[in-house]
Amino acid sequence: SQKLGNRKTRAIYDPHMYEQWEEEMHSEMNFGKGLDMNEFRLFYQPQVESLTHKVTGVEALIRWQHPEKGLLMPGAFIDIAETTGFITQIGEWAVSQACRQLKSWEQQGLGSLTISVNISPRHFLHYYFPAFLNSCIEEYNINPANLIIEITENVAIEDSKVVELQIQKVQEMGFPISIDDFGTGYSAFIYLQRFSIQEVKIDRQFVSKIETDVKSRAIVRAILTLAKSLHMHTVAEGVETIGQLKRLEELGCFEIQGYYFSKPVPIEELNSWLLASPRFPFLYLPIETA
Ligand code: C2E
Ligand code: MG
Ligand code: MG
Ligand code: MG
């Protein structure tokens, strides 16, 4: 808002003002109220199989329909939620919402679709996280294989024994684990050495330069080779062009996600799109049909 903008400008010259501004930002980010008032939304971005372009699942991406600020992207609030501890409640909300959606798809004959949810390190390492997931299996009666838990490598910077136990517990219940933004964190190889991970997601940083930069292409090829030897599934993120798509398909990436196929969309849009496709359950490229 205008008001905040002015304060921020002044705060640059006065550390005390900055602290005050920061405090106000925290209280303006009223996560508790946001949860109570049902202001959070999950948007869904399709993931398609290479070559066939069949939709296999979606990634759930959170947004906050804020009464004053409008639709907030996760970049505007996830870090603050993580610092203030609200990330646990937000994450539980997102997982529950995803479970409801899986159940509803199952009833509509779309039981093979998966949903990937992003879980922050703090939430993933929380002692209650495995028990929470277990309660979701019971409450929503979902097949855990359809709910993919996305974590980043940065989880492993924490106490590795705790990480190992959490990963084991989550996998023993049947939830696949996917490493998001693979290769951009601190500990990609250690991760793969210590744990059996089901999937890696190749970061957009590498994908976006795959056509123009030899190094990026070499890195993507290396990740795909490594994943294949370790029997891991692979998803490329941030695929925006047909050129990028073709390269990834040549290199044998399993799945593709990105604006080329679809932006993250509200559930109503996704569902009507899925069900309206004449080649159901195949997706038309929105670029071609638009
Ligand atoms: P992420 O999990 O790596 O998600 C991919 C991000 O890239 C999303 O941004 C998505 O909208 C965007 N994206 C997808 N395809 C393309 C493309 O072709 N081009 C470009 N330029 N961007 C693309 P978004 O939705 O803003 O989310 C940002 C990050 O916020 C996510 O990165 C994830 O780390 C975090 N996040 C999102 N939802 C949640 C959530 O429910 N819980 C937690 N803890 N974190 C979340
Ligand atoms: Mg998948
Ligand atoms: Mg993700
Ligand atoms: Mg990512």
mmCIF file of all heavy atoms in Angstrom, residues 2-22:
data_model
loop_
_atom_site.group_PDB
_atom_site.id
_atom_site.type_symbol
_atom_site.label_atom_id
_atom_site.label_comp_id
_atom_site.label_asym_id
_atom_site.label_seq_id
_atom_site.Cartn_x
_atom_site.Cartn_y
_atom_site.Cartn_z
ATOM 1 N N GLN A 2 0.253 2.351 -0.309
ATOM 2 C CA GLN A 2 0.935 3.643 -0.344
ATOM 3 C C GLN A 2 1.592 3.932 1.001
ATOM 4 O O GLN A 2 2.751 4.300 1.093
ATOM 5 C CB GLN A 2 -0.098 4.722 -0.691
ATOM 6 C CG GLN A 2 0.491 6.090 -1.006
ATOM 7 C CD GLN A 2 1.321 6.055 -2.269
ATOM 8 O OE1 GLN A 2 0.932 5.444 -3.252
ATOM 9 N NE2 GLN A 2 2.483 6.658 -2.238
ATOM 10 N N LYS A 3 0.794 3.699 2.047
ATOM 11 C CA LYS A 3 1.221 3.979 3.414
ATOM 12 C C LYS A 3 2.520 3.239 3.748
ATOM 13 O O LYS A 3 3.498 3.834 4.191
ATOM 14 C CB LYS A 3 0.097 3.534 4.352
ATOM 15 C CG LYS A 3 0.093 4.196 5.692
ATOM 16 C CD LYS A 3 -1.121 3.742 6.506
ATOM 17 C CE LYS A 3 -0.900 2.391 7.120
ATOM 18 N NZ LYS A 3 -2.109 1.800 7.682
ATOM 19 N N LEU A 4 2.510 1.950 3.490
ATOM 20 C CA LEU A 4 3.686 1.137 3.780
ATOM 21 C C LEU A 4 4.874 1.559 2.943
ATOM 22 O O LEU A 4 6.001 1.614 3.418
ATOM 23 C CB LEU A 4 3.378 -0.333 3.474
ATOM 24 C CG LEU A 4 2.845 -1.149 4.631
ATOM 25 C CD1 LEU A 4 2.488 -2.532 4.146
ATOM 26 C CD2 LEU A 4 3.853 -1.228 5.753
ATOM 27 N N GLY A 5 4.606 1.852 1.695
ATOM 28 C CA GLY A 5 5.662 2.251 0.773
ATOM 29 C C GLY A 5 6.415 3.454 1.307
ATOM 30 O O GLY A 5 7.646 3.462 1.364
ATOM 31 N N ASN A 6 5.685 4.441 1.794
ATOM 32 C CA ASN A 6 6.312 5.633 2.348
ATOM 33 C C ASN A 6 7.160 5.303 3.565
ATOM 34 O O ASN A 6 8.273 5.777 3.716
ATOM 35 C CB ASN A 6 5.254 6.670 2.747
ATOM 36 C CG ASN A 6 4.620 7.287 1.516
ATOM 37 O OD1 ASN A 6 5.200 7.207 0.428
ATOM 38 N ND2 ASN A 6 3.449 7.862 1.677
ATOM 39 N N ARG A 7 6.596 4.464 4.393
ATOM 40 C CA ARG A 7 7.325 4.109 5.613
ATOM 41 C C ARG A 7 8.624 3.400 5.298
ATOM 42 O O ARG A 7 9.628 3.629 5.913
ATOM 43 C CB ARG A 7 6.467 3.196 6.478
ATOM 44 C CG ARG A 7 5.704 4.005 7.472
ATOM 45 C CD ARG A 7 4.987 3.109 8.417
ATOM 46 N NE ARG A 7 3.680 3.663 8.656
ATOM 47 C CZ ARG A 7 2.656 2.989 9.092
ATOM 48 N NH1 ARG A 7 2.784 1.706 9.327
ATOM 49 N NH2 ARG A 7 1.522 3.571 9.299
ATOM 50 N N LYS A 8 8.572 2.550 4.310
ATOM 51 C CA LYS A 8 9.758 1.786 3.954
ATOM 52 C C LYS A 8 10.864 2.733 3.479
ATOM 53 O O LYS A 8 12.026 2.578 3.826
ATOM 54 C CB LYS A 8 9.414 0.784 2.859
ATOM 55 C CG LYS A 8 10.524 -0.228 2.638
ATOM 56 C CD LYS A 8 10.168 -1.192 1.536
ATOM 57 C CE LYS A 8 11.271 -2.221 1.352
ATOM 58 N NZ LYS A 8 10.945 -3.130 0.262
ATOM 59 N N THR A 9 10.476 3.727 2.681
ATOM 60 C CA THR A 9 11.440 4.675 2.158
ATOM 61 C C THR A 9 12.109 5.432 3.301
ATOM 62 O O THR A 9 13.322 5.583 3.329
ATOM 63 C CB THR A 9 10.753 5.690 1.209
ATOM 64 O OG1 THR A 9 9.868 4.961 0.386
ATOM 65 C CG2 THR A 9 11.749 6.442 0.391
ATOM 66 N N ARG A 10 11.289 5.881 4.252
ATOM 67 C CA ARG A 10 11.862 6.600 5.386
ATOM 68 C C ARG A 10 12.728 5.682 6.230
ATOM 69 O O ARG A 10 13.769 6.094 6.725
ATOM 70 C CB ARG A 10 10.737 7.190 6.245
ATOM 71 C CG ARG A 10 10.323 8.580 5.797
ATOM 72 C CD ARG A 10 9.408 9.199 6.815
ATOM 73 N NE ARG A 10 8.075 8.620 6.726
ATOM 74 C CZ ARG A 10 7.282 8.426 7.762
ATOM 75 N NH1 ARG A 10 7.679 8.745 8.988
ATOM 76 N NH2 ARG A 10 6.092 7.910 7.611
ATOM 77 N N ALA A 11 12.305 4.433 6.351
ATOM 78 C CA ALA A 11 12.993 3.495 7.229
ATOM 79 C C ALA A 11 14.449 3.260 6.821
ATOM 80 O O ALA A 11 15.281 2.944 7.644
ATOM 81 C CB ALA A 11 12.246 2.171 7.264
ATOM 82 N N ILE A 12 14.727 3.420 5.551
ATOM 83 C CA ILE A 12 16.097 3.214 5.074
ATOM 84 C C ILE A 12 17.068 4.122 5.841
ATOM 85 O O ILE A 12 18.186 3.758 6.113
ATOM 86 C CB ILE A 12 16.188 3.480 3.547
ATOM 87 C CG1 ILE A 12 15.382 2.414 2.813
ATOM 88 C CG2 ILE A 12 17.627 3.493 3.068
ATOM 89 C CD1 ILE A 12 15.123 2.714 1.358
ATOM 90 N N TYR A 13 16.563 5.287 6.262
ATOM 91 C CA TYR A 13 17.430 6.258 6.940
ATOM 92 C C TYR A 13 17.380 6.109 8.450
ATOM 93 O O TYR A 13 18.060 6.789 9.168
ATOM 94 C CB TYR A 13 17.027 7.685 6.533
ATOM 95 C CG TYR A 13 17.075 7.873 5.041
ATOM 96 C CD1 TYR A 13 15.906 7.818 4.294
ATOM 97 C CD2 TYR A 13 18.295 8.059 4.382
ATOM 98 C CE1 TYR A 13 15.954 7.960 2.930
ATOM 99 C CE2 TYR A 13 18.343 8.204 3.010
ATOM 100 C CZ TYR A 13 17.159 8.150 2.275
ATOM 101 O OH TYR A 13 17.194 8.277 0.927
ATOM 102 N N ASP A 14 16.553 5.222 8.955
ATOM 103 C CA ASP A 14 16.364 5.130 10.399
ATOM 104 C C ASP A 14 16.123 3.665 10.800
ATOM 105 O O ASP A 14 15.042 3.121 10.580
ATOM 106 C CB ASP A 14 15.155 6.013 10.775
ATOM 107 C CG ASP A 14 14.908 5.999 12.274
ATOM 108 O OD1 ASP A 14 15.482 5.135 12.980
ATOM 109 O OD2 ASP A 14 14.129 6.840 12.741
ATOM 110 N N PRO A 15 17.145 3.057 11.389
ATOM 111 C CA PRO A 15 17.031 1.626 11.729
ATOM 112 C C PRO A 15 15.842 1.325 12.638
ATOM 113 O O PRO A 15 15.207 0.290 12.514
ATOM 114 C CB PRO A 15 18.340 1.309 12.467
ATOM 115 C CG PRO A 15 19.251 2.435 12.166
ATOM 116 C CD PRO A 15 18.430 3.630 11.786
ATOM 117 N N HIS A 16 15.543 2.245 13.550
ATOM 118 C CA HIS A 16 14.429 2.011 14.454
ATOM 119 C C HIS A 16 13.102 1.939 13.681
ATOM 120 O O HIS A 16 12.265 1.074 13.919
ATOM 121 C CB HIS A 16 14.342 3.104 15.517
ATOM 122 C CG HIS A 16 13.105 2.975 16.371
ATOM 123 N ND1 HIS A 16 12.953 1.971 17.293
ATOM 124 C CD2 HIS A 16 11.956 3.702 16.400
ATOM 125 C CE1 HIS A 16 11.756 2.083 17.864
ATOM 126 N NE2 HIS A 16 11.140 3.131 17.335
ATOM 127 N N MET A 17 12.977 2.868 12.725
ATOM 128 C CA MET A 17 11.783 2.892 11.895
ATOM 129 C C MET A 17 11.667 1.580 11.114
ATOM 130 O O MET A 17 10.587 1.055 10.910
ATOM 131 C CB MET A 17 11.830 4.052 10.889
ATOM 132 C CG MET A 17 11.627 5.416 11.497
ATOM 133 S SD MET A 17 9.949 5.671 12.135
ATOM 134 C CE MET A 17 9.056 5.865 10.591
ATOM 135 N N TYR A 18 12.811 1.077 10.691
ATOM 136 C CA TYR A 18 12.797 -0.163 9.923
ATOM 137 C C TYR A 18 12.266 -1.317 10.761
ATOM 138 O O TYR A 18 11.428 -2.091 10.324
ATOM 139 C CB TYR A 18 14.184 -0.491 9.375
ATOM 140 C CG TYR A 18 14.166 -1.766 8.573
ATOM 141 C CD1 TYR A 18 13.635 -1.774 7.279
ATOM 142 C CD2 TYR A 18 14.599 -2.970 9.131
ATOM 143 C CE1 TYR A 18 13.565 -2.946 6.553
ATOM 144 C CE2 TYR A 18 14.528 -4.154 8.397
ATOM 145 C CZ TYR A 18 14.018 -4.127 7.121
ATOM 146 O OH TYR A 18 13.940 -5.293 6.400
ATOM 147 N N GLU A 19 12.762 -1.381 12.003
ATOM 148 C CA GLU A 19 12.290 -2.439 12.912
ATOM 149 C C GLU A 19 10.783 -2.367 13.108
ATOM 150 O O GLU A 19 10.084 -3.366 13.098
ATOM 151 C CB GLU A 19 12.954 -2.288 14.283
ATOM 152 C CG GLU A 19 14.199 -3.143 14.437
ATOM 153 C CD GLU A 19 14.998 -2.756 15.670
ATOM 154 O OE1 GLU A 19 14.385 -2.482 16.718
ATOM 155 O OE2 GLU A 19 16.242 -2.718 15.554
ATOM 156 N N GLN A 20 10.343 -1.156 13.291
ATOM 157 C CA GLN A 20 8.910 -0.934 13.496
ATOM 158 C C GLN A 20 8.119 -1.389 12.260
ATOM 159 O O GLN A 20 7.095 -2.047 12.377
ATOM 160 C CB GLN A 20 8.681 0.559 13.738
ATOM 161 C CG GLN A 20 7.353 0.862 14.400
ATOM 162 C CD GLN A 20 7.182 2.373 14.539
ATOM 163 O OE1 GLN A 20 8.143 3.088 14.825
ATOM 164 N NE2 GLN A 20 5.975 2.844 14.321
ATOM 165 N N TRP A 21 8.668 -1.035 11.110
ATOM 166 C CA TRP A 21 8.011 -1.406 9.856
ATOM 167 C C TRP A 21 7.931 -2.923 9.720
ATOM 168 O O TRP A 21 6.919 -3.489 9.336
ATOM 169 C CB TRP A 21 8.798 -0.820 8.677
ATOM 170 C CG TRP A 21 8.297 -1.286 7.339
ATOM 171 C CD1 TRP A 21 7.190 -0.814 6.687
ATOM 172 C CD2 TRP A 21 8.865 -2.287 6.500
ATOM 173 N NE1 TRP A 21 7.034 -1.475 5.495
ATOM 174 C CE2 TRP A 21 8.052 -2.385 5.356
ATOM 175 C CE3 TRP A 21 9.980 -3.122 6.612
ATOM 176 C CZ2 TRP A 21 8.320 -3.282 4.319
ATOM 177 C CZ3 TRP A 21 10.250 -4.014 5.587
ATOM 178 C CH2 TRP A 21 9.422 -4.089 4.457
ATOM 179 N N GLU A 22 9.050 -3.559 10.096
ATOM 180 C CA GLU A 22 9.106 -5.012 10.001
ATOM 181 C C GLU A 22 8.051 -5.657 10.908
ATOM 182 O O GLU A 22 7.359 -6.585 10.523
ATOM 183 C CB GLU A 22 10.509 -5.481 10.396
ATOM 184 C CG GLU A 22 10.888 -6.794 9.763
ATOM 185 C CD GLU A 22 12.294 -7.216 10.122
ATOM 186 O OE1 GLU A 22 12.838 -6.738 11.139
ATOM 187 O OE2 GLU A 22 12.855 -8.042 9.373
#
